[in-house]
Amino acid sequence: AQSVAQPEDQVNVAEGNPLTVKCTYSVSGNPYLFWYVQYPNRGLQFLLKYITGDNLVKGSYGFEAEFNKSQTSFHLKKPSALVSDSALYFCAVRDKWGNRDDKIIFGKGTRLHILP
Amino acid sequence: GAVVSQHPSWVICKSGTSVKIECRSLDFQATTMFWYRQFPKQSLMLMATSNEGSKATYEQGVEKDKFLINHASLTLSTLTVTSAHPEDSSFYICSARDMGQGNYEQYFGPGTRLTVT
């Protein structure tokens, strides 16, 4: 069964510094990887996804993620953090795209605090 | 882009009553919808997969008689929490898969906060 691990419960970064939120995955087939952000009492907002192609994926709000097959990782990055980036970030995986068993499984989430 | 709505956005009900949450795909057809549950400061846990015109598939540990799912049309799925108890209080998020033209993208609703008193 597919799974996602986010090893950090919380990440603190000073405003203006680069940020990284870590994610590793485990799938039986090809990985389809996603990052979502959630603000307090709100639903999920899609940030970016990796399906195939270039390992570096660019998404919304200046975020990007790098797919690393050998390390089974999909870390989220941003060159310069903003206070408004403070939120809960979820990594997610699908491994049976279009199959009846196709479903998105989420990591536990990482709370990102950007310090002014 | 594709939009998924949920109604209500929040609901308070008394213990022992039932409450229904609707999930609609507004501009696409969704043969498959998903229901997730999120406890405070925790991740989204998949509860069930809902397929239009057939019975839902529940994840292990989810009581199908307590969480009734109906997917009667290509744009609507409902989750009914029966005989609700305070421990059912949670944030429920639905998701719909766009099957149009081979597109299997999945979109999420804004969530429904249920509080059982």
Side-chain angles (χ1 to χ4, degrees):
Chain A
Q2 73 254 48
S3 65
V4 175
Q6 293 181 245
E8 304 153 317
D9 290 337
Q10 182 169 310
V11 171
N12 297 321
V13 177
E15 186 178 24
N17 283 1
L19 68 87
T20 299
V21 183
K22 296 180 180 178
C23 172
T24 58
Y25 66 89
S26 174
V27 298
S28 57
N30 292 320
Y32 304 99
L33 298 157
F34 305 81
W35 276 100
Y36 292 88
V37 61
Q38 185 180 38
Y39 295 96
N41 297 311
R42 303 284 296 276
L44 296 178
Q45 292 184 32
F46 170 78
L47 281 179
L48 51 81
K49 69 182 180 187
Y50 170 82
I51 303 299
T52 186
D54 195 348
N55 289 343
L56 184 62
V57 180
K58 294 187 182 298
S60 306
Y61 313 119
F63 284 93
E64 59 187 28
E66 185 167 12
F67 172 65
N68 187 316
K69 188 173 183 178
S70 63
Q71 296 184 5
T72 62
S73 67
F74 190 58
H75 301 331
L76 181 70
K77 299 181 180 183
K78 187 173 182 180
S80 178
L82 300 173
V83 173
S84 57
D85 293 330
S86 298
L88 186 57
Y89 290 79
F90 291 103
C91 183
V93 66
R94 286 164 72 171
D95 73 340
K96 294 178 171 57
W97 192 281
N99 186 288
R100 66 175 290 126
D101 295 323
D102 180 1
K103 51 191 176 185
I104 293 181
I105 300 300
F106 287 85
K108 66 177 182 177
T110 298
R111 189 161 298 279
L112 179 63
H113 283 287
I114 307 302
L115 309 171
Chain B
V3 177
V4 176
S5 70
Q6 283 185 239
H7 178 80
S9 56
W10 60 271
V11 58
I12 301 173
C13 71
K14 292 185 177 181
S15 186
T17 62
S18 296
V19 67
K20 180 185 288 187
I21 302 170
E22 293 185 347
C23 175
R24 294 181 184 272
S25 57
L26 297 187
D27 48 6
F28 65 97
Q29 294 184 331
T31 56
T32 303
M33 291 184 172
F34 303 85
W35 287 96
Y36 292 82
R37 181 176 182 177
Q38 185 181 27
F39 290 103
K41 300 183 179 180
Q42 294 190 28
S43 186
L44 284 77
M45 301 301 297
L46 179 64
M47 299 174 65
T49 302
S50 166
N51 293 296
E52 186 265 339
S54 65
K55 292 182 179 180
T57 302
Y58 290 82
E59 296 296 304
Q60 191 172 9
V62 178
E63 298 177 61
K64 63 180 181 180
D65 294 331
K66 180 164 188 63
F67 299 99
L68 300 180
I69 292 173
N70 184 281
H71 192 163
S73 79
L74 289 172
T75 58
L76 173 64
S77 176
T78 60
L79 168 68
T80 301
V81 182
T82 63
S83 187
H85 290 283
E87 57 264 31
D88 298 324
S89 299
S90 193
F91 194 51
Y92 293 88
I93 299 176
C94 79
S95 179
R97 183 163 293 161
D98 183 355
M99 305 296 284
Q101 300 178 357
N103 180 4
Y104 296 99
E105 292 288 349
Q106 191 165 325
Y107 304 95
F108 287 82
T112 296
R113 182 161 301 284
L114 169 64
T115 301
V116 184
T117 61

